[in-house]
Amino acid sequence: MKYERRLILLLAATQFSHILDFVIMMPLGPQLMRAFSINTSQFALLVSSYTFASAIIGFSGALFVDLFDRKRVLLFGFVGFIIGTLLCSRAHSYEMLLMGRIVAGSFGGLLNGTVFTIIGDVIPEKRRGKATGAVMAAFSVASVVGVPIGLYFAEIWDWSSPFLMLVIWALFVLAGIAKFVHPIKGHLDDGGNKFHFKKDLKNFMAVMTDANHLKAFALSMSVTFAAFSIIPFISPYLVYNVGLPESKLPLVYLCGGSVTFFTSRYIGHLADTFGRFRVFMVLALASVVPILALTNLSPVGVPLILVVTTLFMVLVSGRFVPAMALVTSSALPGKRGSFMGAYNAVQHLSTGIASIVGGALIVTLPNETLSGYNKNGYLSVFFTILSVYLARKIKARS
């Protein structure tokens, strides 16, 4: 039990590291756009390059990661992630920063899959749910603690300081993994999986062509597109159009992340009580209000900004809870592992495409204000309504 607790803590720290590396980019938008004289489309590419790289590794990694000791894969992924994040912190040009994001995203995607694979391999089933929940809480911690601290460093120094601080943190985590995590080779006891490549590829193709799986992938894409056509541009829009001081940006993520930390759990309870589709439908339709309010927001006071952004985060992120339950239940138990790997890759790919499309809809005016953000809101509403239709089509198999 002591080893399990230590392992879960290190896996949660790993998850926190690569999640923070992704989410910190979005509130840094105003500083990055000034530092490199880039527009919203170029900034969107910085955000999406991370997720595109993660998606590619998510798809391809499913075919080879089972050939190695899990600990070695985790260490390899973490070293590559640290190198990518260090490249970001030392970037002196837009192109170098873009390369750093691609490297960090590639290894971040490998880390994400490896973390949950280790949980499945090491943690007994009766304690696996609790372990998974502890690791997934890293997203909330990254939003509530990591982002405000990162923005504080960026405010007193410059935009690169959060990445440098993250590298230092990650080195300590890497040392912990190297010292305390045991080799994980149980899946290699039969001589390894290298002789089953064709079988695994055939199984992967079966997962990708199943009709119910395709509906689940479509739901994931629509929900993700509805969110990430808006999220990457919240900070620049609040600063340049709504008049929020950059020093107040941490409040947006602190308030939204704190409230979401509690509401997400309650939404999960509601989904179990009243049905996943029903709760998803209510949350999705209710989220239309803060989506339109945020993307059409004019200069207002900080309290009203926090109300709108917090409501947006609660409802938009809350939709993912029943949606994830619907998606998970759509897979056959024997294919769920491969399905979830493909699902994560599809989600990352959707995030990248949404960021690119969202950035293309926005024009940066000479006075640095953004024009066209309301179009992103209307696009988000369209995909939100589409997601309700798609969710109704998914059949639960277990």
Side-chain angles (χ1 to χ4, degrees):
M1 288 293 291
K2 182 179 180 180
Y3 173 72
E4 280 187 23
R5 288 194 293 269
R6 184 179 292 167
L7 175 64
I8 292 169
L9 179 63
L10 287 169
L11 292 179
T14 301
Q15 197 75 346
F16 170 85
S17 301
H18 78 81
I19 287 176
L20 179 58
D21 188 67
F22 171 65
V23 299
I24 194 63
M25 278 294 294
M26 288 170 278
L28 285 176
Q31 290 197 37
L32 292 172
M33 291 170 72
R34 283 198 306 270
F36 296 106
S37 300
I38 58 176
N39 56 34
T40 52
S41 294
Q42 291 170 304
F43 173 66
L45 184 58
L46 288 175
V47 175
S48 61
S49 60
Y50 189 101
T51 57
F52 282 140
S54 296
I56 293 171
I57 293 300
F59 280 122
S60 59
L63 299 175
F64 67 82
V65 292
D66 286 331
L67 304 179
F68 305 97
D69 171 11
R70 307 288 193 208
K71 178 181 177 179
R72 289 191 176 186
V73 175
L74 189 65
L75 288 172
F76 173 75
F78 220 135
V79 170
F81 167 76
I82 291 172
I83 292 173
T85 305
L86 184 61
L87 285 174
C88 294
S89 71
R90 299 294 88 195
H92 299 296
S93 67
Y94 172 76
E95 291 75 18
M96 186 176 177
L97 180 58
L98 182 62
M99 180 58 66
R101 299 313 295 158
I102 293 172
V103 174
S106 298
F107 289 99
L110 181 61
L111 286 176
N112 186 65
T114 305
V115 163
F116 289 103
T117 301
I118 290 175
I119 291 175
D121 284 354
V122 177
I123 309 300
E125 186 175 354
K126 63 181 179 180
R127 294 193 293 273
R128 199 171 297 158
K130 185 177 181 180
T132 302
V135 172
M136 289 187 70
F139 185 87
S140 296
V141 176
S143 299
V144 176
V145 179
V147 170
I149 291 176
L151 288 176
Y152 172 75
F153 284 126
E155 182 73 21
I156 61 175
W157 287 317
D158 62 25
W159 66 266
S160 65
S161 56
F163 295 104
L164 187 58
M165 296 297 106
L166 183 54
V167 167
I168 295 171
W169 156 265
L171 286 172
F172 282 104
V173 179
L174 179 67
I177 294 171
K179 182 175 182 179
F180 295 112
V181 176
H182 301 162
I184 304 169
K185 302 180 179 180
H187 60 296
L188 302 176
D189 287 345
D190 62 352
N193 294 341
K194 58 184 177 180
F195 301 111
H196 303 300
F197 177 80
K198 290 183 178 180
K199 177 182 176 182
D200 292 341
L201 181 59
K202 183 178 179 181
N203 180 65
F204 181 75
M205 293 306 298
V207 167
M208 295 302 295
T209 55
D210 180 89
N212 207 44
H213 291 175
L214 292 175
K215 293 174 185 176
F217 292 149
L219 173 62
S220 171
M221 292 179 69
S222 62
V223 173
T224 302
F225 210 102
F228 281 90
S229 57
I230 293 177
I231 290 175
F233 314 103
I234 290 177
S235 294
Y237 185 76
L238 290 179
V239 170
Y240 295 131
N241 289 61
V242 184
L244 180 71
E246 285 188 39
S247 60
K248 301 292 184 182
L249 271 178
L251 287 176
V252 172
Y253 294 89
L254 180 62
C255 292
S258 299
V259 176
T260 300
F261 181 79
F262 295 101
T263 56
S264 293
R265 299 182 181 186
Y266 184 63
I267 289 170
H269 172 71
L270 291 176
D272 289 337
T273 303
F274 297 104
R276 297 160 184 170
F277 172 73
R278 184 178 298 176
V279 172
F280 174 77
M281 179 179 65
V282 171
L283 289 173
L285 296 179
S287 69
V288 169
V289 175
I291 286 172
L292 293 178
L294 176 60
T295 55
N296 289 276
L297 199 61
S298 56
V300 293
V302 174
L304 184 56
I305 292 174
L306 294 179
V307 169
V308 173
T309 54
T310 300
L311 187 60
F312 173 86
M313 292 182 186
V314 167
L315 293 176
V316 170
S317 66
R319 303 182 306 188
F320 282 95
V321 177
M324 187 65 183
L326 285 167
V327 165
T328 304
S329 66
S330 70
L332 291 170
K335 299 183 184 300
R336 185 165 292 136
S338 298
F339 169 78
M340 289 308 299
Y343 167 81
N344 285 328
V346 168
Q347 190 175 50
H348 282 132
L349 186 63
S350 303
T351 300
I353 295 174
S355 300
I356 291 292
V357 173
L361 293 175
I362 300 173
V363 176
T364 305
L365 300 179
N367 62 356
E368 294 187 325
T369 59
L370 308 183
S371 175
Y373 194 40
N374 59 327
K375 297 177 184 177
N376 296 53
Y378 303 140
L379 183 66
S380 177
V381 170
F382 169 78
F383 278 101
T384 295
I385 295 172
L386 177 62
S387 69
V388 175
Y389 170 79
L390 293 170
R392 193 178 187 89
K393 297 291 183 179
I394 294 177
K395 296 179 182 179
R397 285 170 163 170
S398 63

